[in-house]
Amino acid sequence: MQKEQIELRLKELEYKKAENMQEITDLKDKLEELNAPAITEEQAIELNERLCTHIDAIDFSNTSNYEFEFEIDYDNRVRVSHCDPCDLIESIKDDFQEIISDFFKVRDEE
């Protein structure tokens, strides 16, 4: 084979590889969608309402839920340089897991 033929064949194979990779990705997405648990629209609405009710009840103004870092500006003003809602976020995650566990029958995958 000459150089041009090898380069052409290489480009063809790379194109086919890209096509195959895209098809693999598409098939994985379809399989994931097929394996996803399904709920009815009414159940989805009820779950959304429960989660939204919980979010509405959260007191975001409670400063004890946040960790602040302060710094002094060049003009001697103190400002918040970093605000971390780590405790609040973890609490919300735990509460959401509890709401989901109450809503669905959770079973072990054995």
Side-chain angles (χ1 to χ4, degrees):
M1 286 189 159
Q2 293 186 16
K3 180 181 175 184
E4 293 82 18
Q5 291 174 322
I6 293 174
E7 288 174 346
L8 180 62
R9 181 68 178 145
L10 184 60
K11 286 181 183 180
E12 288 175 2
L13 291 173
E14 286 176 354
Y15 179 76
K16 287 181 182 179
K17 177 183 174 185
E19 279 184 333
N20 289 338
M21 293 303 294
Q22 184 60 49
E23 185 176 359
I24 288 170
T25 301
D26 292 345
L27 289 173
K28 283 182 179 180
D29 290 345
K30 286 180 184 178
L31 184 60
E32 187 176 309
E33 184 178 321
L34 290 172
N35 287 333
I39 60 175
T40 65
E41 186 174 346
E42 292 83 18
Q43 290 171 323
I45 291 169
E46 183 181 349
L47 179 58
N48 184 54
E49 287 173 355
R50 288 185 188 192
L51 295 173
C52 288
T53 300
H54 179 72
I55 290 171
D56 291 340
I58 296 171
D59 182 12
F60 289 100
S61 64
N62 184 355
T63 57
S64 65
N65 290 325
Y66 304 92
E67 291 179 12
F68 296 99
E69 289 181 20
F70 299 95
E71 63 183 30
I72 298 176
D73 279 342
Y74 291 109
D75 57 358
N76 291 327
R77 287 190 294 172
V78 176
R79 71 178 187 119
V80 176
S81 64
H82 180 72
C83 177
D84 185 9
C86 58
D87 293 337
L88 182 62
I89 298 297
E90 288 304 315
S91 172
I92 292 171
K93 287 179 184 178
D94 293 342
D95 292 343
F96 275 21
Q97 184 61 44
E98 186 176 321
I99 290 168
I100 291 170
S101 295
D102 288 345
F103 189 80
F104 293 104
K105 179 180 178 183
V106 179
R107 56 183 163 81
D108 293 331
E109 294 185 35
E110 293 182 358

